mmCIF file of all heavy atoms in Angstrom:
data_model
loop_
_atom_site.group_PDB
_atom_site.id
_atom_site.type_symbol
_atom_site.label_atom_id
_atom_site.label_comp_id
_atom_site.label_asym_id
_atom_site.label_seq_id
_atom_site.Cartn_x
_atom_site.Cartn_y
_atom_site.Cartn_z
ATOM 1 N N ASN A 22 66.642 41.046 -114.990
ATOM 2 C CA ASN A 22 65.936 40.326 -115.973
ATOM 3 C C ASN A 22 64.779 41.240 -116.564
ATOM 4 O O ASN A 22 64.432 41.095 -117.710
ATOM 5 C CB ASN A 22 65.243 39.010 -115.339
ATOM 6 C CG ASN A 22 66.215 37.927 -115.283
ATOM 7 O OD1 ASN A 22 66.637 37.347 -116.246
ATOM 8 N ND2 ASN A 22 66.653 37.655 -114.077
ATOM 9 N N LEU A 23 64.304 42.169 -115.721
ATOM 10 C CA LEU A 23 63.349 43.163 -116.238
ATOM 11 C C LEU A 23 64.006 44.047 -117.379
ATOM 12 O O LEU A 23 63.430 44.328 -118.401
ATOM 13 C CB LEU A 23 62.853 44.057 -115.172
ATOM 14 C CG LEU A 23 61.859 45.174 -115.598
ATOM 15 C CD1 LEU A 23 60.618 44.568 -116.214
ATOM 16 C CD2 LEU A 23 61.454 46.045 -114.347
ATOM 17 N N MET A 24 65.277 44.407 -117.098
ATOM 18 C CA MET A 24 66.037 45.247 -118.059
ATOM 19 C C MET A 24 66.199 44.402 -119.347
ATOM 20 O O MET A 24 66.064 44.988 -120.474
ATOM 21 C CB MET A 24 67.410 45.535 -117.509
ATOM 22 C CG MET A 24 67.358 46.612 -116.407
ATOM 23 S SD MET A 24 69.042 46.904 -115.727
ATOM 24 C CE MET A 24 69.861 47.506 -117.213
ATOM 25 N N VAL A 25 66.521 43.152 -119.237
ATOM 26 C CA VAL A 25 66.670 42.312 -120.455
ATOM 27 C C VAL A 25 65.347 42.206 -121.261
ATOM 28 O O VAL A 25 65.315 42.320 -122.464
ATOM 29 C CB VAL A 25 67.227 40.922 -120.109
ATOM 30 C CG1 VAL A 25 67.284 40.015 -121.307
ATOM 31 C CG2 VAL A 25 68.624 41.009 -119.530
ATOM 32 N N ARG A 26 64.308 42.057 -120.459
ATOM 33 C CA ARG A 26 62.955 41.858 -121.208
ATOM 34 C C ARG A 26 62.600 43.213 -121.901
ATOM 35 O O ARG A 26 62.031 43.113 -123.004
ATOM 36 C CB ARG A 26 61.929 41.551 -120.159
ATOM 37 C CG ARG A 26 62.024 40.103 -119.650
ATOM 38 C CD ARG A 26 61.190 39.845 -118.345
ATOM 39 N NE ARG A 26 59.796 40.059 -118.592
ATOM 40 C CZ ARG A 26 58.975 39.083 -118.911
ATOM 41 N NH1 ARG A 26 59.462 37.822 -119.158
ATOM 42 N NH2 ARG A 26 57.671 39.319 -119.061
ATOM 43 N N VAL A 27 62.835 44.346 -121.193
ATOM 44 C CA VAL A 27 62.516 45.574 -121.825
ATOM 45 C C VAL A 27 63.383 46.033 -122.961
ATOM 46 O O VAL A 27 62.891 46.332 -124.064
ATOM 47 C CB VAL A 27 62.477 46.690 -120.717
ATOM 48 C CG1 VAL A 27 62.360 48.119 -121.335
ATOM 49 C CG2 VAL A 27 61.343 46.466 -119.701
ATOM 50 N N PHE A 28 64.690 45.959 -122.779
ATOM 51 C CA PHE A 28 65.640 46.525 -123.785
ATOM 52 C C PHE A 28 65.841 45.459 -124.915
ATOM 53 O O PHE A 28 65.967 45.903 -126.058
ATOM 54 C CB PHE A 28 67.044 46.761 -123.142
ATOM 55 C CG PHE A 28 67.045 48.046 -122.404
ATOM 56 C CD1 PHE A 28 66.778 48.125 -121.093
ATOM 57 C CD2 PHE A 28 67.297 49.282 -123.065
ATOM 58 C CE1 PHE A 28 66.841 49.349 -120.390
ATOM 59 C CE2 PHE A 28 67.278 50.512 -122.384
ATOM 60 C CZ PHE A 28 67.041 50.506 -121.048
ATOM 61 N N LEU A 29 65.822 44.165 -124.565
ATOM 62 C CA LEU A 29 66.229 43.168 -125.570
ATOM 63 C C LEU A 29 64.991 42.372 -126.070
ATOM 64 O O LEU A 29 65.154 41.426 -126.806
ATOM 65 C CB LEU A 29 67.262 42.240 -125.048
ATOM 66 C CG LEU A 29 68.542 42.909 -124.528
ATOM 67 C CD1 LEU A 29 69.555 41.885 -124.041
ATOM 68 C CD2 LEU A 29 69.150 43.726 -125.675
ATOM 69 N N LYS A 30 63.793 42.713 -125.612
ATOM 70 C CA LYS A 30 62.582 42.178 -126.082
ATOM 71 C C LYS A 30 62.536 40.687 -125.938
ATOM 72 O O LYS A 30 62.069 39.930 -126.820
ATOM 73 C CB LYS A 30 62.293 42.549 -127.539
ATOM 74 C CG LYS A 30 62.432 44.022 -127.925
ATOM 75 C CD LYS A 30 61.420 44.871 -127.143
ATOM 76 C CE LYS A 30 61.589 46.345 -127.512
ATOM 77 N NZ LYS A 30 60.665 47.182 -126.668
ATOM 78 N N SER A 31 62.954 40.227 -124.767
ATOM 79 C CA SER A 31 62.934 38.701 -124.535
ATOM 80 C C SER A 31 61.708 38.501 -123.654
ATOM 81 O O SER A 31 61.487 39.125 -122.684
ATOM 82 C CB SER A 31 64.246 38.397 -123.833
ATOM 83 O OG SER A 31 64.144 36.988 -123.295
ATOM 84 N N PRO A 32 60.987 37.341 -123.988
ATOM 85 C CA PRO A 32 59.866 36.963 -123.160
ATOM 86 C C PRO A 32 60.273 36.134 -121.971
ATOM 87 O O PRO A 32 59.422 35.802 -121.143
ATOM 88 C CB PRO A 32 59.036 36.154 -124.174
ATOM 89 C CG PRO A 32 60.088 35.498 -125.036
ATOM 90 C CD PRO A 32 61.187 36.521 -125.178
ATOM 91 N N LEU A 33 61.553 35.766 -121.866
ATOM 92 C CA LEU A 33 61.991 34.882 -120.767
ATOM 93 C C LEU A 33 62.056 35.625 -119.438
ATOM 94 O O LEU A 33 62.278 36.825 -119.357
ATOM 95 C CB LEU A 33 63.310 34.251 -121.102
ATOM 96 C CG LEU A 33 63.397 33.508 -122.453
ATOM 97 C CD1 LEU A 33 64.847 33.076 -122.672
ATOM 98 C CD2 LEU A 33 62.480 32.325 -122.458
ATOM 99 N N ARG A 34 61.931 34.809 -118.361
ATOM 100 C CA ARG A 34 61.877 35.482 -117.050
ATOM 101 C C ARG A 34 63.226 35.387 -116.286
ATOM 102 O O ARG A 34 63.556 36.198 -115.396
ATOM 103 C CB ARG A 34 60.770 34.816 -116.225
ATOM 104 C CG ARG A 34 59.430 35.203 -116.612
ATOM 105 C CD ARG A 34 58.310 34.293 -116.042
ATOM 106 N NE ARG A 34 58.351 32.992 -116.612
ATOM 107 C CZ ARG A 34 57.400 32.043 -116.368
ATOM 108 N NH1 ARG A 34 56.318 32.398 -115.672
ATOM 109 N NH2 ARG A 34 57.487 30.879 -116.963
ATOM 110 N N ASP A 35 64.043 34.359 -116.689
ATOM 111 C CA ASP A 35 65.346 34.218 -116.011
ATOM 112 C C ASP A 35 66.343 33.811 -117.086
ATOM 113 O O ASP A 35 66.327 32.768 -117.668
ATOM 114 C CB ASP A 35 65.239 33.051 -114.974
ATOM 115 C CG ASP A 35 66.527 32.906 -114.180
ATOM 116 O OD1 ASP A 35 67.461 33.678 -114.361
ATOM 117 O OD2 ASP A 35 66.629 32.052 -113.317
ATOM 118 N N HIS A 36 67.308 34.713 -117.325
ATOM 119 C CA HIS A 36 68.311 34.541 -118.355
ATOM 120 C C HIS A 36 69.645 33.972 -117.888
ATOM 121 O O HIS A 36 70.477 33.443 -118.641
ATOM 122 C CB HIS A 36 68.602 35.842 -119.116
ATOM 123 C CG HIS A 36 67.328 36.424 -119.783
ATOM 124 N ND1 HIS A 36 66.407 37.083 -119.053
ATOM 125 C CD2 HIS A 36 66.885 36.383 -121.010
ATOM 126 C CE1 HIS A 36 65.423 37.468 -119.867
ATOM 127 N NE2 HIS A 36 65.707 37.021 -121.005
ATOM 128 N N GLN A 37 69.882 34.059 -116.521
ATOM 129 C CA GLN A 37 71.219 33.822 -116.007
ATOM 130 C C GLN A 37 71.376 32.551 -115.229
ATOM 131 O O GLN A 37 72.460 32.339 -114.606
ATOM 132 C CB GLN A 37 71.716 34.972 -115.159
ATOM 133 C CG GLN A 37 72.122 36.193 -115.915
ATOM 134 C CD GLN A 37 73.283 35.961 -116.828
ATOM 135 O OE1 GLN A 37 73.185 36.129 -118.074
ATOM 136 N NE2 GLN A 37 74.427 35.569 -116.301
ATOM 137 N N CYS A 38 70.310 31.737 -115.147
ATOM 138 C CA CYS A 38 70.414 30.526 -114.412
ATOM 139 C C CYS A 38 71.498 29.627 -115.032
ATOM 140 O O CYS A 38 71.547 29.325 -116.282
ATOM 141 C CB CYS A 38 69.110 29.808 -114.379
ATOM 142 S SG CYS A 38 69.139 28.264 -113.449
ATOM 143 N N GLY A 39 72.429 29.055 -114.199
ATOM 144 C CA GLY A 39 73.513 28.245 -114.629
ATOM 145 C C GLY A 39 73.141 26.771 -114.858
ATOM 146 O O GLY A 39 73.760 25.885 -114.391
ATOM 147 N N PHE A 40 72.027 26.589 -115.632
ATOM 148 C CA PHE A 40 71.574 25.216 -115.909
ATOM 149 C C PHE A 40 70.852 25.311 -117.233
ATOM 150 O O PHE A 40 69.705 25.622 -117.294
ATOM 151 C CB PHE A 40 70.637 24.806 -114.789
ATOM 152 C CG PHE A 40 70.208 23.397 -114.877
ATOM 153 C CD1 PHE A 40 71.073 22.360 -114.587
ATOM 154 C CD2 PHE A 40 68.821 23.136 -115.164
ATOM 155 C CE1 PHE A 40 70.600 21.006 -114.657
ATOM 156 C CE2 PHE A 40 68.402 21.721 -115.330
ATOM 157 C CZ PHE A 40 69.255 20.735 -115.004
ATOM 158 N N LYS A 41 71.535 24.956 -118.328
ATOM 159 C CA LYS A 41 70.963 25.106 -119.637
ATOM 160 C C LYS A 41 71.255 23.879 -120.506
ATOM 161 O O LYS A 41 72.277 23.274 -120.319
ATOM 162 C CB LYS A 41 71.454 26.398 -120.313
ATOM 163 C CG LYS A 41 71.042 27.687 -119.701
ATOM 164 C CD LYS A 41 71.626 28.914 -120.313
ATOM 165 C CE LYS A 41 70.946 30.162 -119.888
ATOM 166 N NZ LYS A 41 71.140 30.415 -118.457
ATOM 167 N N GLY A 42 70.328 23.625 -121.459
ATOM 168 C CA GLY A 42 70.578 22.575 -122.457
ATOM 169 C C GLY A 42 70.273 23.077 -123.804
ATOM 170 O O GLY A 42 69.384 23.960 -124.022
ATOM 171 N N PHE A 43 70.910 22.378 -124.830
ATOM 172 C CA PHE A 43 70.721 22.868 -126.158
ATOM 173 C C PHE A 43 70.699 21.728 -127.183
ATOM 174 O O PHE A 43 71.430 20.721 -126.952
ATOM 175 C CB PHE A 43 71.967 23.798 -126.573
ATOM 176 C CG PHE A 43 72.384 24.746 -125.518
ATOM 177 C CD1 PHE A 43 73.344 24.429 -124.635
ATOM 178 C CD2 PHE A 43 71.728 26.069 -125.352
ATOM 179 C CE1 PHE A 43 73.791 25.330 -123.682
ATOM 180 C CE2 PHE A 43 72.171 26.872 -124.373
ATOM 181 C CZ PHE A 43 73.174 26.500 -123.546
ATOM 182 N N LYS A 44 69.957 21.828 -128.209
ATOM 183 C CA LYS A 44 70.035 20.900 -129.286
ATOM 184 C C LYS A 44 71.321 21.276 -130.110
ATOM 185 O O LYS A 44 71.539 22.486 -130.398
ATOM 186 C CB LYS A 44 68.783 21.064 -130.203
ATOM 187 C CG LYS A 44 68.699 19.972 -131.293
ATOM 188 C CD LYS A 44 67.401 20.130 -132.083
ATOM 189 C CE LYS A 44 66.236 19.815 -131.207
ATOM 190 N NZ LYS A 44 64.961 19.932 -131.964
ATOM 191 N N ARG A 45 72.155 20.334 -130.308
ATOM 192 C CA ARG A 45 73.499 20.582 -130.888
ATOM 193 C C ARG A 45 73.457 21.466 -132.166
ATOM 194 O O ARG A 45 74.164 22.500 -132.249
ATOM 195 C CB ARG A 45 74.205 19.274 -131.274
ATOM 196 C CG ARG A 45 75.550 19.550 -131.805
ATOM 197 C CD ARG A 45 76.246 18.242 -132.316
ATOM 198 N NE ARG A 45 77.605 18.437 -132.675
ATOM 199 C CZ ARG A 45 78.575 18.475 -131.825
ATOM 200 N NH1 ARG A 45 78.415 18.206 -130.590
ATOM 201 N NH2 ARG A 45 79.832 18.770 -132.204
ATOM 202 N N GLU A 46 72.644 21.171 -133.152
ATOM 203 C CA GLU A 46 72.584 21.932 -134.364
ATOM 204 C C GLU A 46 72.285 23.385 -134.184
ATOM 205 O O GLU A 46 72.810 24.249 -134.756
ATOM 206 C CB GLU A 46 71.638 21.243 -135.372
ATOM 207 C CG GLU A 46 72.048 19.882 -135.823
ATOM 208 C CD GLU A 46 71.645 18.826 -134.825
ATOM 209 O OE1 GLU A 46 70.979 19.125 -133.770
ATOM 210 O OE2 GLU A 46 72.035 17.647 -135.020
ATOM 211 N N ALA A 47 71.313 23.614 -133.233
ATOM 212 C CA ALA A 47 70.832 24.934 -132.969
ATOM 213 C C ALA A 47 71.935 25.758 -132.316
ATOM 214 O O ALA A 47 72.224 26.932 -132.671
ATOM 215 C CB ALA A 47 69.604 24.956 -132.101
ATOM 216 N N LEU A 48 72.625 25.189 -131.300
ATOM 217 C CA LEU A 48 73.659 25.982 -130.593
ATOM 218 C C LEU A 48 74.768 26.267 -131.548
ATOM 219 O O LEU A 48 75.354 27.449 -131.532
ATOM 220 C CB LEU A 48 74.207 25.159 -129.407
ATOM 221 C CG LEU A 48 75.224 25.890 -128.573
ATOM 222 C CD1 LEU A 48 74.679 27.069 -127.939
ATOM 223 C CD2 LEU A 48 75.741 24.894 -127.500
ATOM 224 N N MET A 49 75.197 25.377 -132.377
ATOM 225 C CA MET A 49 76.348 25.615 -133.302
ATOM 226 C C MET A 49 76.064 26.724 -134.236
ATOM 227 O O MET A 49 77.022 27.339 -134.745
ATOM 228 C CB MET A 49 76.675 24.308 -133.973
ATOM 229 C CG MET A 49 77.285 23.224 -133.062
ATOM 230 S SD MET A 49 78.704 23.821 -132.134
ATOM 231 C CE MET A 49 78.798 22.613 -130.763
ATOM 232 N N ARG A 50 74.836 26.924 -134.572
ATOM 233 C CA ARG A 50 74.510 28.027 -135.490
ATOM 234 C C ARG A 50 74.709 29.362 -134.790
ATOM 235 O O ARG A 50 74.772 30.430 -135.514
ATOM 236 C CB ARG A 50 73.081 27.840 -136.004
ATOM 237 C CG ARG A 50 72.898 26.750 -137.082
ATOM 238 C CD ARG A 50 71.481 26.555 -137.457
ATOM 239 N NE ARG A 50 70.882 27.737 -137.974
ATOM 240 C CZ ARG A 50 69.537 27.857 -138.340
ATOM 241 N NH1 ARG A 50 68.760 26.778 -138.202
ATOM 242 N NH2 ARG A 50 69.135 28.969 -138.859
ATOM 243 N N LEU A 51 74.721 29.446 -133.503
ATOM 244 C CA LEU A 51 74.778 30.719 -132.870
ATOM 245 C C LEU A 51 76.137 30.983 -132.086
ATOM 246 O O LEU A 51 76.472 32.152 -131.830
ATOM 247 C CB LEU A 51 73.665 30.813 -131.787
ATOM 248 C CG LEU A 51 72.217 30.943 -132.283
ATOM 249 C CD1 LEU A 51 71.306 31.169 -131.196
ATOM 250 C CD2 LEU A 51 72.095 32.100 -133.351
ATOM 251 N N LEU A 52 76.889 29.898 -131.795
ATOM 252 C CA LEU A 52 78.084 30.075 -130.977
ATOM 253 C C LEU A 52 78.983 31.215 -131.452
ATOM 254 O O LEU A 52 79.500 32.043 -130.649
ATOM 255 C CB LEU A 52 78.842 28.823 -130.860
ATOM 256 C CG LEU A 52 78.486 27.882 -129.683
ATOM 257 C CD1 LEU A 52 79.433 26.736 -129.622
ATOM 258 C CD2 LEU A 52 78.376 28.577 -128.350
ATOM 259 N N ASP A 53 79.291 31.271 -132.702
ATOM 260 C CA ASP A 53 80.217 32.255 -133.265
ATOM 261 C C ASP A 53 79.685 33.686 -133.314
ATOM 262 O O ASP A 53 80.374 34.664 -133.550
ATOM 263 C CB ASP A 53 80.677 31.836 -134.662
ATOM 264 C CG ASP A 53 81.645 30.637 -134.613
ATOM 265 O OD1 ASP A 53 82.262 30.387 -133.548
ATOM 266 O OD2 ASP A 53 81.739 29.968 -135.578
ATOM 267 N N LYS A 54 78.328 33.743 -133.003
ATOM 268 C CA LYS A 54 77.661 35.118 -133.029
ATOM 269 C C LYS A 54 77.723 35.676 -131.582
ATOM 270 O O LYS A 54 77.417 36.906 -131.434
ATOM 271 C CB LYS A 54 76.262 35.016 -133.510
ATOM 272 C CG LYS A 54 76.149 34.512 -134.977
ATOM 273 C CD LYS A 54 74.676 34.464 -135.388
ATOM 274 C CE LYS A 54 74.592 33.993 -136.816
ATOM 275 N NZ LYS A 54 73.146 33.876 -137.276
ATOM 276 N N VAL A 55 78.081 34.861 -130.584
ATOM 277 C CA VAL A 55 78.088 35.318 -129.182
ATOM 278 C C VAL A 55 79.377 36.071 -128.969
ATOM 279 O O VAL A 55 80.480 35.489 -129.174
ATOM 280 C CB VAL A 55 77.903 34.137 -128.217
ATOM 281 C CG1 VAL A 55 78.016 34.676 -126.754
ATOM 282 C CG2 VAL A 55 76.592 33.457 -128.485
ATOM 283 N N GLU A 56 79.275 37.327 -128.514
ATOM 284 C CA GLU A 56 80.481 38.134 -128.253
ATOM 285 C C GLU A 56 80.904 38.153 -126.822
ATOM 286 O O GLU A 56 82.019 38.429 -126.487
ATOM 287 C CB GLU A 56 80.242 39.545 -128.741
ATOM 288 C CG GLU A 56 80.055 39.640 -130.253
ATOM 289 C CD GLU A 56 79.832 41.087 -130.775
ATOM 290 O OE1 GLU A 56 79.895 42.023 -129.882
ATOM 291 O OE2 GLU A 56 79.650 41.270 -131.942
#
């Protein structure tokens, strides 16, 4: 997570926790951009 914060400029502390929720419209705008 330190690597992600430094290289990808993310303010989050935990990126890999398998417990996530999304507003539908927001997620659909990004899904096709995820590689």
